[in-house]
Amino acid sequence: MESLTPVRVLLVDDDALVRAGLTMMLGAFEGIEVAGAVTDGTEVAAAVNSHRPDVVLMDIRMPGMDGLTATESLRARRDPPEVIVLTTFDTDAHVLRAMRAGASGFLLKHTPPAEIADAVRRVAAGEPMLSPEVLRRMMNHVAAAELNPGRDRARAALQRLSPGERDVALLVAQGRTNQEIGTALRMSTATVKAYVSRILTKLDLSNRVQVALLVHDAR
């Protein structure tokens, strides 16, 4: 039986104990391989070039280049790896900035090992890790803003989508998987993937998390 190619993960965290713990924990799950680990955002570019990871687990607070700046730089590259931000939810602004930069997932550092492994697999497969808590905080942040200069721009962008594409985008913004969207809209999973691909192309977005953020900006 042919074995599946493991998901390669790069760890970025200045805490040696966190790096060691994540390496040991992720190594215990089949289909996941820790390809490398670095201590600062300034080392990310070289590590990605060297290790070619599928997913980067990125801490936010580091002494040199912080994880948000590193994420912005990384996602601006051609064919970048996916990024999961490892956070303690310092502020909603941090989460929103990471989303705008193109991060595909958000995890608390005390997240159970199985959930971290599941998030890595999902993100590598193109499914963002948008937990209900992240969505709730994002929606509360947008709703609390008295002035939202990006609202008109977001609404105009969504108007460029067909009615079917907008239906898919709304469900993406709820954190639904392709299978869940297909069930809700009576589409095959392949059709949902095609819709998502067209949405990303039309709106010049890099991933589903940015689709979700655009939908919430438009509200």
Side-chain angles (χ1 to χ4, degrees):
M1 182 176 177
E2 186 179 356
S3 61
L4 297 176
T5 303
V7 177
R8 293 173 59 79
V9 179
L10 173 69
L11 307 177
V12 185
D13 199 298
D14 64 318
D15 189 322
L17 289 177
V18 171
R19 293 195 307 275
L22 285 171
T23 299
M24 182 179 302
M25 180 272 293
L26 289 172
F29 288 92
E30 186 176 357
I32 297 177
E33 173 188 343
V34 176
V38 295
T39 64
D40 188 79
T42 58
E43 303 172 336
V44 170
V48 168
N49 290 340
S50 175
H51 299 295
R52 300 294 180 186
D54 302 297
V55 177
V56 177
L57 270 179
M58 184 84 73
D59 187 22
I60 288 182
R61 292 180 177 272
M62 291 178 285
M65 181 187 292
D66 66 84
L68 298 176
T69 302
T71 297
E72 290 171 343
S73 177
L74 185 58
R75 292 298 297 174
R77 292 165 56 121
R78 186 174 183 178
D79 193 25
E82 301 296 339
V83 177
I84 296 176
V85 172
L86 205 59
T87 178
T88 53
F89 272 140
D90 291 333
T91 66
D92 289 346
H94 281 167
V95 176
L96 288 167
R97 181 180 164 193
M99 293 179 76
R100 295 186 193 282
S104 294
F106 304 86
L107 294 174
L108 299 176
K109 286 194 174 182
H110 60 259
T111 299
E115 291 183 22
I116 295 179
D118 181 60
V120 167
R121 295 191 189 100
R122 283 182 57 180
V123 166
E127 296 277 356
M129 187 60 188
L130 282 173
S131 71
E133 184 175 2
V134 170
L135 285 170
R136 184 168 57 252
R137 292 174 71 99
M138 179 177 68
M139 287 187 287
N140 288 343
H141 182 91
V142 172
E146 293 183 5
L147 296 175
N148 182 359
R151 182 176 293 132
D152 290 342
R153 184 169 61 250
R155 289 177 176 175
L158 291 178
Q159 287 301 314
R160 291 158 49 194
L161 302 178
S162 69
E165 289 165 349
R166 281 197 295 274
D167 288 342
V168 171
L170 291 174
L171 292 176
V172 166
Q174 295 176 18
R176 303 282 192 93
T177 65
N178 287 340
Q179 185 175 2
E180 290 169 341
I181 294 172
T183 299
L185 299 180
R186 297 184 179 180
M187 298 178 179
S188 68
T189 301
T191 299
V192 174
K193 289 181 178 179
Y195 267 94
V196 172
S197 180
R198 289 203 299 271
I199 291 168
L200 295 176
T201 300
K202 277 190 177 182
L203 302 184
D204 193 26
L205 300 175
S206 64
N207 61 30
R208 295 159 66 111
V209 173
Q210 290 185 334
V211 174
L213 186 58
L214 185 73
V215 169
H216 289 297
D217 277 348
R219 292 177 176 173

